[in-house]
Amino acid sequence: MSKPHAVIAIDLPAGLLEDLRRSINPIVTGSDPAAVEAALPRAEGILCSALLPLPAERLDRAPNLRVISNFGVGIDNIDLAAATARGIAVCNTPGVLSGAVADLTIGLILAIARRLFENAAYARDGWPRRQPPPPLGWDPAGKLLGIVGFGRIGQAVALRARAFGMEVIYHDLVDEPVEGLEDCRPVPLDELLELSDVVSLHVNLDPSTHHLIGARELARMKPTAWLINTSRGAVVDQSALVEALRQRTIAGAALDVLDPEPPAADEPLLAMENVILLPHIGSATVETRAAMRDMAVRNLIAVLTGRVPPACINPEVLAARA
Ligand code: NAD
């Protein structure tokens, strides 16, 4: 029997590619857009990252597609409704990256609290001759962290923040108590924005969370509060954020994600001193990326060989095939 054809649009280490070749025929490897596009009509599976947009029109050019295996947990690059309507399973990599994104979020909280970037610049730039003395930070202990989106990553952030003595409140569509995190209190979004010393965003991007944080929400935050975004750039209305930062209606923002990515050369956030910018590195550790690749490959192989994948967003598609 011939092996199912798949587009492998992310780089895989040789060993993993060999494993995959045992059951799959990779008709394209690598992210060259022209090669990926040309292979769509034959593709039964696609292994891709968020860098490959898969709107309905593109799915229409892939009539044989049975599975999209996304390298990442966020699937906002994929038109999920269109994929489901076409009987295409959409798989992702939940859980294996939660710790890495939560670690980065805590790193940002500590960097903000201890003014690490300002103080590092101070040390390089003339210390010890400089006056005034290095700027003082603040203790996370006793400060209020507001988590917007209390899913896998939001909860992993809460667990870590408690170890630094922070109090945690959260806002989510689901507000049932979470085992082991019963002391974290669910609150309406406005209350969270008004009370928090640090607001950290961990929702998935969909129409309900697009520009969830706009001018109205930023105006509710304390002038001393920081906004952290390690979810998706479009969860925040970026022009409203620039304005709030210019007017100092909030103290600053630490952003791992932007809209668009990479930012335009004239993006005002690039030049603002009360902003920390990172190039979308939430899951970027050796161990986490390896675990994500492994899970994405297992998802692809499982669906194309008629087995249950480790993680599927629309399992009804698989149930309908059984
Ligand atoms: P998750 O599904 O476990 O958590 C998302 C939470 O957001 C859920 O609890 C959901 O109920 C809540 N939510 C959804 N819509 C909401 C709304 N309108 N208001 C309030 N809450 C709402 O997902 P996760 O595994 O925690 O990942 C969250 C997101 O983090 C991903 O979708 C992805 O976009 C982002 N992410 C970023 C990086 C990075 O590199 N920066 C890495 C991994 C994930």
Side-chain angles (χ1 to χ4, degrees):
M1 219 174 71
S2 69
K3 295 176 191 168
H5 293 173
V7 169
I8 310 299
I10 64 167
D11 290 330
L12 291 180
L16 201 51
L17 199 54
E18 272 324 297
D19 286 351
L20 186 133
R21 279 186 206 280
R22 281 192 207 112
S23 34
I24 306 287
N25 178 8
I27 47 175
V28 168
T29 53
S31 55
D32 173 47
V36 170
E37 194 62 41
L40 289 180
R42 284 198 298 152
E44 291 162 82
I46 296 181
L47 174 50
C48 63
S49 72
L51 296 176
L52 182 69
L54 290 168
E57 313 81 69
R58 194 170 246 169
L59 299 180
D60 284 339
R61 295 197 287 279
N64 296 308
L65 201 56
R66 286 189 278 145
V67 57
I68 300 164
S69 175
N70 203 52
F71 172 75
V73 68
I75 50 130
D76 44 285
N77 54 313
I78 301 164
D79 185 333
L80 179 62
T84 305
R86 287 160 181 72
I88 302 166
V90 176
C91 298
N92 64 345
T93 64
V96 293
L97 41 62
S98 303
V101 183
D103 289 349
L104 183 75
T105 305
I106 295 297
L108 287 170
I109 294 174
L110 295 180
I112 293 162
R114 301 303 300 270
R115 305 175 73 161
L116 284 191
F117 293 96
E118 282 161 272
N119 273 309
Y122 179 99
R124 275 176 190 264
D125 183 24
W127 174 69
R129 296 178 298 284
R130 293 261 311 265
Q131 282 297 329
L136 292 183
W138 43 265
D139 293 327
K143 300 296 186 303
L144 192 61
L145 171 63
I147 296 181
V148 182
F150 208 55
R152 288 169 291 252
I153 297 174
Q155 291 175 27
V157 171
L159 272 174
R160 288 158 173 73
R162 281 197 323 197
F164 289 93
M166 297 190 85
E167 265 182 73
V168 178
I169 55 176
Y170 69 90
H171 170 71
D172 198 293
L173 299 175
V174 186
D175 63 3
E176 282 147 25
V178 176
E179 203 185 327
L181 289 171
E182 289 85 356
D183 56 329
C184 302
R185 192 165 55 90
V187 294
L189 181 58
D190 282 354
E191 188 177 334
L192 179 146
L193 295 167
E194 284 159 17
L195 295 177
S196 300
D197 298 300
V198 177
V199 173
S200 192
L201 306 180
H202 301 286
V203 289
N204 49 305
L205 174 62
D206 66 14
S208 82
T209 57
H210 184 266
H211 286 192
L212 181 68
I213 304 299
R216 181 192 157 281
E217 288 71 30
L218 292 162
R220 293 192 124 71
M221 288 174 62
K222 299 200 241 185
T224 50
W226 277 72
L227 179 71
I228 297 182
N229 190 8
T230 61
S231 63
R232 283 291 183 267
V235 171
V236 176
D237 175 346
Q238 215 157 276
S239 323
L241 176 61
V242 167
E243 204 42 41
L245 290 164
R246 277 197 182 124
Q247 302 298 329
R248 301 260 171 188
T249 55
I250 68 171
L255 310 168
D256 182 42
V257 285
L258 287 178
D259 180 26
E261 289 174 8
D266 62 352
E267 167 58 56
L269 291 168
L270 294 171
M272 300 183 89
E273 53 95 17
N274 50 345
V275 172
I276 298 171
L277 285 183
L278 295 175
H280 201 143
I281 56 159
S283 66
T285 70
V286 172
E287 298 85 348
T288 295
R289 287 284 167 87
M292 290 165 64
R293 277 195 300 265
D294 193 57
M295 192 168 186
V297 165
R298 285 191 290 131
N299 280 333
L300 181 81
I301 295 175
V303 177
L304 290 180
T305 57
R307 286 177 292 116
V308 178
C312 183
I313 299 274
N314 54 356
E316 64 272 25
V317 167
L318 300 173
R321 281 185 206 161

